[in-house]
Amino acid sequence: MTDIKGNKVLLIAVIIAVAASAVWTANYKLHFNGFFLNDAHDFGQMARNIYEGRGFKTSVLRPINIIHFKQIPYPEVTRPPLFPLILAGLFSVFGVNDFAIVLSGAIAYVALAVLTFLVAMKLTESYLIALFGSVLASFHLYFLPQGILGTSDLVYAACFMGFIYFYLRKQELIFWHGVIIGLLYLLRTNTLFVAIPLLLMELRRRDATARWNSFLLFSVGALIPIFPYLVRNYIDTGSPLFSLHKYTLALETRTYPGFTLWTQINDVSAGRFFLDHPGEVFRKFSNSMISLKREFFASFQFPGVVMLLAGLTLPLKGTDLQKIRRLVLWIILLQLVLISPMGSGGLRFYMFLIPLAVISFGAVISRFSETAASSREVLAAVLAIVAVVMLYPSLEYWKDRSAVSQPNLSVEFGKTLKAMTGKEDVIASDIAWEISWYADRKTVWLPYDPDTLRKISASVPVKYVFLSVLITRPFAAYKDDTWQRMFLKPDSIKVEGLEFVQQFYLNNYPVGILYKVAQIN
């Protein structure tokens, strides 16, 4: 970027930051009404445990974890720790509330817009392409809601783009590349699929001696931030790599539909499950690919899909551009092959790569426009048309007020249960994460059946069972319809040890029901 004045780039970056901040603020005021995804509630309750001095622990017990832990809270073994740590830091400034969490999305939203511009400038030296990429990363319908969801996805996308910018400016600092990759791993574990191709690309362009030194530098750098986390896992679980994800291969299969396995006390071996049920795993892989395709088209529609595919496949100029695009393609391939069989390969696992694909598309158009007499005007016209086509669906999002026009039941249930239960009471529920965050209570995700609830209560005494309207379309297949009947027809079913307390209504429609656990035999 030697022929471009740094002050001009800085000024535009500041303007982008101000514009993105204004967009996020409007989005927050028009659409935020608490959190609807249980990922946000989960991160929130973990961050609260850190903030209140209990360490990196969760107050939500998945029934399967009773195999390994006999108390609540217990060490978190599903999600990495960096995002909850960030939230705990925000709690110390803004208090333990929704705003502190959603503020992380605001920072990430603005940072992604600015960093997309800076990365595009570094790769293409084109203001048109850089602005095109930044605008789509700010205003596209897929990215707008991400800023107020309260999850780590947008934060990871911004941090990843920050790493790319650092990498492009300091390609020789492979030790620090490793350090940043290690930090990104603590934010999202699929960073492993970034580290592998990145390291191989770097080793490939060095001689034999330099390769060995580079491998050591990168590995040591990556291990420095990760090592304390591995030690913590070893102390708490006996294994540095222990994770609930070891059961993921068996989830969403015919044997264990949806998240059924997590509601059971069943220590399934993933390797044995694959050997015994290879057809189910391959079927899940196929279904994951189909689901990803549908989500891709639903989020970006046909013009957007064509744009992204063009950016990832058509010829372009520039050594760094080609290198970054190869990295993106390798990450996509590795995630398709290794994440999809787990059944969790949604579009959010690829979101952090989309700005780079958009930049590549701009570079592709720039290359083809060079043959025109007025290449800059042609490039500007094409990018403007594509931007209008891509952003037009966002208009409906801005018109939609459904999120704020009705109560967020998670918030309402949290307030009610906080008032009706004690601080140390344990509540089993199909919305365990929502209750844990909004009611500040220890919770158990609704077990497979009442017998499983009794087994859990032998170690972790459950005081209440709360069933929400979502139990009529649960994320797990329970043993039978007992829980559903307890919600829909409480007068016609009696379960030993459970006593009806109260039913909750919204507009005369039942939305929740509370039972008290009277005894455990």
Side-chain angles (χ1 to χ4, degrees), residues 443-459:
T443 61
V444 176
W445 196 22
L446 192 65
Y448 186 60
D449 59 6
D451 286 338
T452 305
L453 175 65
R454 296 184 183 97
K455 292 176 183 177
I456 292 172
S457 289
S459 300

Side-chain angles (χ1 to χ4, degrees), residues 466-520:
F466 179 82
L467 305 175
S468 80
V469 66
L470 295 179
I471 193 62
T472 59
R473 42 187 175 89
F475 293 100
Y478 293 101
K479 182 178 180 180
D480 51 36
D481 63 350
T482 297
W483 299 125
Q484 286 85 355
R485 290 167 60 203
M486 287 176 63
F487 174 80
L488 295 169
K489 299 179 180 180
D491 296 331
S492 65
I493 181 172
K494 300 294 181 183
V495 176
E496 182 183 0
L498 295 180
E499 296 179 355
F500 172 81
V501 176
Q502 185 174 339
Q503 191 151 26
F504 305 92
Y505 294 85
L506 177 65
N507 298 326
N508 296 319
Y509 185 82
V511 292
I513 190 167
L514 182 67
Y515 290 87
K516 187 173 184 179
V517 180
Q519 60 182 18
I520 299 295

Side-chain angles (χ1 to χ4, degrees), residues 29-272:
K29 290 183 177 297
L30 292 173
H31 296 111
F32 184 76
N33 186 26
F35 298 119
F36 293 90
L37 296 181
N38 63 18
D39 282 14
H41 308 122
D42 199 16
F43 284 124
Q45 61 88 14
M46 284 188 286
R48 179 166 50 208
N49 281 330
I50 295 173
Y51 172 73
E52 294 180 351
R54 287 184 285 273
F56 183 45
K57 294 184 177 182
T58 177
S59 295
V60 181
L61 178 71
R62 295 175 176 87
I64 198 170
N65 267 346
I66 200 70
I67 298 171
H68 311 286
F69 306 101
K70 308 297 183 184
Q71 75 286 333
I72 302 177
Y74 63 95
E76 169 60 30
V77 291
T78 306
R79 302 185 188 274
L82 188 53
F83 187 55
L85 283 167
I86 292 171
L87 296 183
L90 292 172
F91 287 169
S92 67
V93 178
F94 299 98
V96 182
N97 51 55
D98 280 358
F99 179 75
I101 297 177
V102 80
L103 185 61
S104 68
I107 296 169
Y109 182 83
V110 174
L112 182 62
V114 173
L115 287 166
T116 300
F117 172 78
L118 294 176
V119 168
M121 287 299 298
K122 185 66 178 173
L123 288 172
T124 68
E125 298 190 355
S126 168
Y127 288 105
L128 291 174
I129 296 173
L131 288 171
F132 173 74
S134 182
V135 166
L136 288 192
S138 300
F139 304 133
H140 188 270
L141 180 59
Y142 181 71
F143 287 97
L144 284 170
Q146 300 292 334
I148 57 174
L149 287 182
T151 68
S152 64
D153 297 336
L154 194 67
V155 174
Y156 183 79
C159 291
F160 174 77
M161 193 60 77
F163 166 71
I164 293 296
Y165 183 65
F166 177 80
Y167 172 79
L168 291 171
R169 289 180 59 87
K170 303 290 183 181
Q171 296 192 35
E172 72 282 1
L173 299 182
I174 194 165
F175 170 78
W176 289 105
H177 299 164
V179 171
I180 298 173
I181 287 294
L183 289 170
L184 288 176
Y185 179 84
L186 295 179
L187 189 57
R188 285 277 292 270
T189 53
N190 62 312
T191 300
L192 178 65
F193 306 122
V194 176
I196 294 172
L198 176 68
L199 181 58
L200 291 177
M201 285 171 51
E202 287 302 300
L203 296 181
R204 184 181 177 187
R205 66 187 184 93
R206 290 170 167 81
D207 59 38
T209 302
R211 285 175 186 171
W212 178 244
N213 292 336
S214 297
F215 176 79
L216 286 177
L217 285 171
F218 185 90
S219 300
V220 171
L223 190 60
I224 287 175
I226 296 174
F227 185 73
Y229 179 57
L230 300 179
V231 172
R232 172 265 189 189
N233 284 353
Y234 179 78
I235 293 173
D236 286 338
T237 70
S239 170
L241 300 176
F242 183 90
S243 172
L244 187 63
H245 287 303
K246 70 178 185 174
Y247 300 110
T248 304
L249 192 66
L251 294 176
E252 301 177 72
T253 59
R254 180 178 296 176
T255 302
Y256 301 105
F259 293 91
T260 299
L261 180 59
W262 282 359
T263 70
Q264 301 177 345
I265 305 175
N266 188 359
D267 195 4
V268 174
S269 166
R272 172 55 57 187

Side-chain angles (χ1 to χ4, degrees), residues 167-418:
Y167 172 79
L168 291 171
R169 289 180 59 87
K170 303 290 183 181
Q171 296 192 35
E172 72 282 1
L173 299 182
I174 194 165
F175 170 78
W176 289 105
H177 299 164
V179 171
I180 298 173
I181 287 294
L183 289 170
L184 288 176
Y185 179 84
L186 295 179
L187 189 57
R188 285 277 292 270
T189 53
N190 62 312
T191 300
L192 178 65
F193 306 122
V194 176
I196 294 172
L198 176 68
L199 181 58
L200 291 177
M201 285 171 51
E202 287 302 300
L203 296 181
R204 184 181 177 187
R205 66 187 184 93
R206 290 170 167 81
D207 59 38
T209 302
R211 285 175 186 171
W212 178 244
N213 292 336
S214 297
F215 176 79
L216 286 177
L217 285 171
F218 185 90
S219 300
V220 171
L223 190 60
I224 287 175
I226 296 174
F227 185 73
Y229 179 57
L230 300 179
V231 172
R232 172 265 189 189
N233 284 353
Y234 179 78
I235 293 173
D236 286 338
T237 70
S239 170
L241 300 176
F242 183 90
S243 172
L244 187 63
H245 287 303
K246 70 178 185 174
Y247 300 110
T248 304
L249 192 66
L251 294 176
E252 301 177 72
T253 59
R254 180 178 296 176
T255 302
Y256 301 105
F259 293 91
T260 299
L261 180 59
W262 282 359
T263 70
Q264 301 177 345
I265 305 175
N266 188 359
D267 195 4
V268 174
S269 166
R272 172 55 57 187
F273 181 85
F274 177 76
L275 294 175
D276 292 342
H277 308 277
E280 292 188 31
V281 175
F282 286 121
R283 191 177 300 111
K284 180 170 71 167
F285 172 81
S286 175
N287 291 337
S288 296
M289 297 294 286
I290 293 171
S291 177
L292 178 61
K293 175 186 173 183
R294 288 174 178 167
E295 188 179 0
F296 202 92
F297 275 89
S299 298
F300 289 92
Q301 303 183 354
F302 183 75
V305 172
V306 171
M307 178 195 71
L308 295 175
L309 291 179
L312 292 174
T313 57
L314 295 181
L316 46 72
K317 291 182 178 180
T319 302
D320 284 343
L321 259 173
Q322 293 172 352
K323 182 192 299 184
I324 294 301
R325 189 169 75 170
R326 281 198 301 271
L327 175 64
V328 170
L329 290 171
W330 274 111
I331 294 170
I332 291 172
L333 178 62
L334 285 173
Q335 293 198 154
L336 286 175
V337 172
L338 298 175
I339 291 184
S340 295
M342 302 299 174
S344 56
L347 184 57
R348 68 191 190 90
F349 281 85
Y350 301 85
M351 183 180 76
F352 67 102
L353 301 172
I354 291 172
L356 292 175
V358 172
I359 294 170
S360 294
F361 171 78
V364 167
I365 298 302
S366 178
R367 180 179 185 275
F368 283 106
S369 68
E370 290 176 354
T371 58
S374 302
S375 59
R376 181 178 174 81
E377 287 73 15
V378 171
L379 175 63
V382 173
L383 294 184
I385 293 171
V386 173
V388 170
V389 172
M390 291 293 295
L391 297 179
Y392 180 75
S394 302
L395 294 177
E396 292 301 317
Y397 175 79
W398 289 108
K399 296 176 183 178
D400 184 14
R401 299 290 187 274
S402 59
V404 295
S405 63
Q406 55 190 351
N408 183 330
L409 288 179
S410 297
V411 177
E412 300 306 316
F413 289 148
K415 293 177 182 178
T416 300
L417 292 175
K418 188 172 185 177

